[in-house]
Amino acid sequence: MVPVRGSALSAHAAGVDRLMASYRSIPATSAVRLAKPTSNLFRARTKRDARGLDTSGLTGVLGVDPETSTADVAGMCTYEDLVAATLPYGLSPLVVPQLKTITLGGAVSGLGIESASFRNGLPHESVLEMDILTGAGELLTASRGQHSDLFRAFPNSYGTLGYSTRLRIELEPVAPFVAMRHVRFHSLPEMVAAMERIVDTGGQGGTPVDYLDGVVFSADESYLCVGRRTTTPGPVSDYTGKNIYYQSIRHDSVGADATKDDRLTIHDYFWRWDTDWFWCSRAFGVQNPRLRRWWPRRYRRSSVYSKLVGVDHRFGISDRIETRSIRPPDRPLHERVVQDIEVPVERTCEFLEWFLGNVPITPIWLCPLRLRDRDGWPLYPMRPDHTYVNVGFWSSVPAGATEGVTNRAIEAKVSELDGHKSLYSDSFYTREEFDELYGGEAYKTIKKTYDPDSRLLDLYAKAVQRR
């Protein structure tokens, strides 16, 4: 048992009591959902009759045990708070998703990924056990040996089977610094081949690699960002000020010298992408040096930008501006293409070449992964002992003649290449396509067991259907 502070345990118990009371207060005829202040989902939403569960007491770290390298964490705890609690012990979660306000429960039920995923898999694979409030109103402890069907179906269920109130997770040792090497490639096949070698060997040029991701700017300019943990002190870069991380990756070196070295504290490495929301802060002008100078550092973070996007979507500000300037009012203006997909490593070049030729969005983020658990996860089936590559792209394109035409084309291409896409954003699958990709009968069986009265939304309804 991970030791927990008495005050933290007491506060957590009170939070669970409030959660259960709020569940019981919702009429049996009403849908159930979380009431949470932040979200990293990008699906279109409409108002619906659903009262929110009170999660106000489920946001903290209950305890960190350096002897067993484990932690007990409340389901709504953000990774920002989790990392702050583990780093003083020289430990971190096995995978730290790149945005500070992603919650541990969210990363487990909705999947998460980062540059340690090529060796540590996905966040849910480091979960040892979790307490789950099911749709039936029961609080169950699930693990590989207890309620194992719920434990294995929880990843990618997006709250349609229940909500985690506590998770016990593995941690791993980290060093104070990360030495980075940005390797440039002028060919996508060469870049993917180099990525695959690092994943297969766990190193590069005889040196172990701890972190690996990449960025594609064009067919002839791509980079692998190779990170190695180190205790050696020295100068470090700071990308929370005027300098911008993704721009620092780029360089003109060629041949054997096509590298650029950098160095970050482990804290700043974990949040290197959050300051500018990868590169999406440019939509708000924050990368303009004049504006950046006056934009407070505390507001240079993904949570602020996502709130601005929410305000824009709510009031249609950008649509109104664009309509007045270039488009007639009876036509859609743009199509949001905010997606992460995974394809087998051997199909990655094919997807990237297709994408660059058909979708006018760059840069593109790459992150290789291999599952740790050989028994698999039914709602997001991937082959064990096989490398996949997450491809992330987040922008918009000119709207086509039909709704979601670009997103639909991406879905078709990913399925053709034996891949999947994450469900945090817009999806357009038919019910048959969706069931084939995301659990089908296995999901329906578990849904009937743990949410027999359908108090929670069905996964297809939540991920695809407009509400």
Side-chain angles (χ1 to χ4, degrees):
M1 172 69 70
V2 177
V4 296
R5 299 186 304 274
S7 59
L9 184 59
S10 176
H12 179 71
V16 172
D17 288 343
R18 289 197 299 274
L19 175 75
M20 300 297 290
S22 67
Y23 176 92
R24 290 190 293 268
S25 71
I26 299 174
T29 55
S30 297
V32 176
R33 64 175 178 84
L34 289 182
K36 51 187 297 189
T38 62
S39 175
N40 287 283
L41 299 181
F42 283 84
R43 304 190 202 101
R45 300 178 181 181
T46 58
K47 292 182 179 180
R48 62 181 186 273
D49 180 21
R51 293 171 56 182
L53 298 174
D54 182 355
T55 61
S56 59
L58 304 176
T59 60
V61 177
L62 305 181
V64 178
D65 188 345
E67 293 187 4
T68 60
S69 295
T70 56
D72 270 15
V73 186
M76 296 294 292
C77 179
T78 66
Y79 273 91
E80 181 176 24
D81 291 340
L82 176 55
V83 167
T86 62
L87 282 187
Y89 296 95
L91 299 168
S92 82
L94 269 62
V95 176
V96 180
Q98 54 274 8
L99 304 182
K100 292 179 177 178
T101 57
I102 292 175
T103 63
L104 178 59
V108 170
S109 68
L111 304 187
I113 192 169
E114 231 292 299
S115 59
S117 289
F118 79 100
R119 56 184 177 84
N120 287 339
L122 300 175
H124 59 269
E125 297 189 281
S126 62
V127 175
L128 300 174
E129 67 176 30
M130 52 185 157
D131 297 338
I132 300 172
L133 171 62
T134 70
E138 299 179 292
L139 190 63
L140 303 176
T141 299
S143 67
R144 286 173 173 81
Q146 185 177 10
H147 298 294
S148 59
D149 55 346
L150 177 61
F151 181 83
R152 291 205 167 274
F154 198 74
N156 208 47
S157 64
Y158 282 91
T160 65
L161 298 176
Y163 302 107
S164 58
T165 63
R166 178 194 61 90
L167 304 97
R168 180 169 298 166
I169 62 169
E170 299 175 71
L171 305 174
E172 69 174 6
V174 292
F177 307 102
V178 176
M180 301 192 66
R181 175 155 290 182
H182 304 305
V183 186
R184 177 169 178 172
F185 296 87
H186 297 266
S187 158
L188 291 175
E190 290 179 5
M191 181 270 295
V192 173
M195 176 191 293
E196 191 169 12
R197 284 194 300 271
I198 293 172
V199 174
D200 288 343
T201 64
Q204 183 187 44
T207 301
V209 171
D210 298 305
Y211 305 107
L212 178 65
D213 61 358
V215 179
V216 175
F217 290 93
S218 67
D220 58 4
E221 185 187 4
S222 59
Y223 299 85
L224 291 182
C225 304
V226 182
R228 178 177 58 85
R229 295 187 291 235
T230 177
T231 59
T232 305
V236 293
S237 298
D238 178 5
Y239 295 108
T240 64
K242 67 177 182 179
N243 295 323
I244 299 169
Y245 175 69
Y246 85 96
Q247 294 179 357
S248 77
I249 293 170
R250 309 182 78 172
H251 57 83
D252 296 325
S253 303
V254 296
D257 297 323
T259 63
K260 179 181 180 180
D261 292 335
D262 199 359
R263 183 185 181 86
L264 295 169
T265 66
I266 183 65
H267 174 276
D268 287 354
Y269 178 81
F270 283 144
W271 307 128
R272 67 202 183 282
W273 291 119
D274 188 85
T275 301
D276 284 285
W277 210 14
F278 285 84
W279 32 78
C280 297
S281 67
R282 62 187 177 184
F284 307 99
V286 181
Q287 296 182 25
N288 183 312
R290 295 178 181 177
L291 180 57
R292 195 175 188 86
R293 178 182 176 185
W294 298 105
W295 193 290
R297 285 190 184 216
R298 67 182 181 277
Y299 295 145
R300 296 177 198 160
R301 50 184 290 144
S302 61
S303 58
V304 171
Y305 308 135
S306 63
K307 288 178 181 177
L308 293 175
V309 169
V311 170
D312 179 38
H313 288 166
R314 181 179 178 185
F315 295 104
I317 298 170
S318 59
D319 281 356
R320 293 178 185 178
I321 294 173
E322 191 173 352
T323 298
R324 291 174 182 175
S325 60
I326 61 173
R327 286 288 190 95
D330 60 341
R331 290 190 58 193
L333 304 171
H334 57 265
E335 177 184 353
R336 181 174 60 190
V337 183
V338 177
Q339 304 286 355
D340 280 75
I341 64 96
E342 276 101 26
V343 291
V345 65
E346 67 272 14
R347 313 301 296 271
T348 302
C349 276
E350 186 175 349
F351 178 79
L352 290 173
E353 290 167 353
W354 174 87
F355 188 90
L356 290 171
N358 291 274
V359 183
I361 294 176
T362 55
I364 304 166
W365 186 59
L366 306 178
C367 188
L369 71 142
R370 288 176 75 108
L371 295 181
R372 296 173 67 209
D373 192 305
R374 294 184 56 85
D375 291 332
W377 308 92
L379 270 60
Y380 207 77
M382 301 172 74
R383 285 181 281 165
D385 300 320
H386 196 87
T387 301
Y388 290 77
V389 179
N390 177 281
V391 185
F393 35 92
W394 316 292
S395 189
S396 62
V397 300
T402 58
E403 181 190 14
V405 61
T406 298
N407 282 285
R408 293 174 193 270
I410 292 168
E411 289 177 355
K413 190 65 179 181
V414 170
S415 294
E416 176 189 328
L417 300 179
D418 299 322
H420 288 80
K421 73 174 223 177
S422 298
L423 298 175
Y424 69 85
S425 190
D426 300 311
S427 297
F428 296 88
Y429 297 108
T430 66
R431 167 67 82 168
E432 292 73 20
E433 292 169 334
F434 189 87
D435 286 349
E436 183 177 351
L437 291 169
Y438 300 103
E441 290 302 318
Y443 172 76
K444 293 175 184 177
T445 298
I446 296 166
K447 179 75 168 173
K448 289 178 182 177
T449 301
Y450 294 100
D451 185 21
D453 297 323
S454 298
R455 298 296 305 279
L456 307 172
L457 278 175
D458 171 77
L459 183 58
Y460 182 75
K462 189 167 189 178
V464 181
Q465 293 177 329
R466 299 297 177 262
R467 305 181 291 285

